[in-house]
Amino acid sequence: LRADYTFLNERLAKHYGIPNVYGSRFRRVELAPDSRRGGLLRQGSVLAVTSYATRTSPVIRGVWVLSNIVGAPPPPPLPNVPALDGNVPANLPVRERMAAHRASPVCASCHRTIDPVGFALENFDAVGRWRDNEGDSGSIDVSGTLPGAGDIKGVSGLEDALLQRPELFTATLTEKLMTFALGRGVEYYDAPAVRKILREAQPGGYRFSSLILGIVNSAPFQMRRSS
């Protein structure tokens, strides 16, 4: 979540604004202490896939973080929920356009949880480039909230809040790794195995290798059956 390095080739380095990287080969690049890159939430691929072609989407980004990092996916949208009102001026900041959308009682209940998480990533545009302003609207307001953590500000604040409870992200990651390893979804009866993996990985700081070894040694993996 807060790596001080990333993997770049020349083309991606130019996109990120990182100098002195040449050639098409990807290599590990150490980042400066004041770099705006590093970690999952600052990765261009994640930021682009959670945006529309022409603008960012705090909703998609918020859902992605809650589902894939926190492990608390919001409920699916209700049927026949309208899209953003086409009468709302397109030159308004995304936050103000979303406020008009949340004015609908049908939409407000879910968006109160989702949108504030996505707003924290608004310094990144639709293809993951850093920006301080959104068009002519002035500085971007990146304040938000994360369920269970309170107020956050910007991507750094979101990372701080997530790192206060590393077991949430680690549990989510473990379940996704187990899904891949088992070839099926994680069920309620797998919960003891997941908790055991987390307990054993915690003293070492939840190293990725500890999660892999925990899964390989777990009962669900050891006793899985091929179809």
Side-chain angles (χ1 to χ4, degrees), residues 7-184:
F7 290 87
L8 302 173
N9 63 3
E10 182 175 358
R11 185 176 181 183
L12 185 56
K14 286 182 177 178
H15 180 72
Y16 283 171
I18 296 176
N20 304 320
V21 177
Y22 305 104
S24 60
R25 179 182 61 86
F26 275 86
R27 81 295 308 263
R28 176 171 167 148
V29 176
E30 302 296 326
L31 298 170
D34 60 348
S35 175
R36 292 163 173 161
R37 298 296 168 179
L40 282 175
L41 301 181
R42 301 167 185 255
Q43 195 175 88
S45 59
V46 171
L47 295 163
V49 80
T50 54
S51 298
Y52 293 113
T54 57
R55 66 170 178 84
T56 60
S57 173
V59 177
I60 300 177
R61 287 179 174 177
V63 169
W64 191 90
V65 171
L66 292 172
S67 301
N68 296 289
I69 303 295
V70 181
L78 297 171
N80 303 319
V81 171
L84 276 176
D85 189 349
N87 296 321
V88 177
N91 61 344
L92 284 178
V94 170
R95 182 182 286 268
E96 294 183 24
R97 299 181 70 195
M98 293 304 303
H101 189 57
R102 289 196 305 275
S104 167
V106 178
C107 307
S109 59
C110 290
H111 282 275
R112 278 196 296 266
T113 300
I114 298 170
D115 296 358
V117 180
F119 288 142
L121 300 174
E122 275 294 289
N123 276 133
F124 297 100
D125 69 9
V127 293
R129 293 172 301 199
W130 183 270
R131 59 183 182 168
D132 293 305
N133 302 295
E134 185 179 358
D136 299 326
S137 303
S139 299
I140 298 173
D141 182 359
V142 292
S143 59
T145 58
L146 181 69
D151 294 338
I152 56 176
K153 190 172 183 64
V155 63
S156 295
L158 178 54
E159 290 167 343
D160 288 340
L162 292 170
L163 289 169
Q164 288 175 9
R165 297 191 61 190
E167 71 280 359
L168 294 179
F169 172 51
T170 312
T172 305
L173 177 59
T174 300
E175 290 180 1
K176 292 184 179 297
L177 289 170
M178 284 192 72
T179 297
F180 177 78
L182 300 176
R184 62 168 175 81

